[in-house]
Amino acid sequence: METGVISSDEFVGGFDLYRTLESGQSYLWTRSDGAMYTDQPAPNAWYETVVDGVPIRVRQPDGTNGGLEWRAGEDAVPTIRRLLRLDDDLEAIAADAPDDALIQEAYTAHDGMRLVEDPAFGTLISFICSAQMRVGRIHTMVSTLAGEYGEPYTLEGDTIYAFPTPKALAAATEADLRHLSLGYRAPYVERTAAMVAEGEAHPEDARALEYEAAREHLTQFVGVGDKVADCVLLFALGFDEAVPLDTWIKSAIAEYYPDCDRGNYADTSRAIRERLGGCYAGYAQTYLFHHLRTGAVDSSA
């Protein structure tokens, strides 16, 4: 086992592990105290995941003022830096944000929150499962899939489950997945996993495409519309301009940016991306989503 600490001096613009991993971006990490997505920070709890067969755990025991402590099956610093986007210059990204009261309020309220870059297949399945679900329920559903079909790994005597491979998940029947409370999402997960396992398509292939072509590529997967595709682009494939039009962002458009509502997803997406800053619009979206979801908006503003 390898261990270490990534110094807080390396986090340009700060870093908040809790907000980064519990802001509705990622469902592929678990928390050692079992209380993830309960809106209760726990600085001494470990966040755990498995990437490319390597079990990893991280924590920030001193809160946002501290470095990032890690444990892993091998030296995982490059992987951790990529997953948590520790090399992003948050100062520059925040400075690039539009001079908009709500956006500036969100950046100030949730300082140190970074985008994630999760593995593409797990992200794709996670957001197929996300339809009409609260973040805590999505996380439970994804963790259940990992516990049922994922490979177990041991780290410091604890078992951490990897998210299932496409082949392992494709072997599940619709009935099996419905038994795990996936409901109407079960056939979508089954068919999408089979598409990837059989080489019909892979979400990673979208990385090489231009943004809107990449979104179109992802909609070939069963159960994936434009919004889910945008989530995968933003949280797994590095498309920082992507703005998923979920319920919270649609509400923000209706209340704060009504001129961006163009009556369809593609045109509204273009308009709100421009309003939220273009190349880093997805960062602004993530801050707005978390700000609105947690009820932190200043109603007197």
Side-chain angles (χ1 to χ4, degrees), residues 84-109:
L84 302 177
R85 297 191 53 167
L86 299 181
D87 295 322
D88 285 4
D89 185 339
L90 281 190
E91 289 181 358
I93 291 169
D96 190 67
D99 185 15
D100 175 280
L102 181 61
I103 295 171
Q104 293 300 325
E105 181 184 312
Y107 269 103
T108 300

Side-chain angles (χ1 to χ4, degrees), residues 97-131:
D99 185 15
D100 175 280
L102 181 61
I103 295 171
Q104 293 300 325
E105 181 184 312
Y107 269 103
T108 300
H110 309 293
D111 185 48
M113 185 171 70
R114 293 169 180 264
L115 288 177
V116 298
E117 187 172 323
D118 276 337
F121 177 68
T123 303
L124 177 65
I125 298 299
S126 296
F127 282 96
I128 288 175
C129 291
S130 72

Side-chain angles (χ1 to χ4, degrees), residues 138-155:
I138 301 164
H139 184 263
T140 297
M141 192 178 293
V142 173
S143 297
T144 299
L145 285 175
E148 190 73 19
Y149 298 107
E151 189 74 20
Y153 291 84
T154 301
L155 185 64

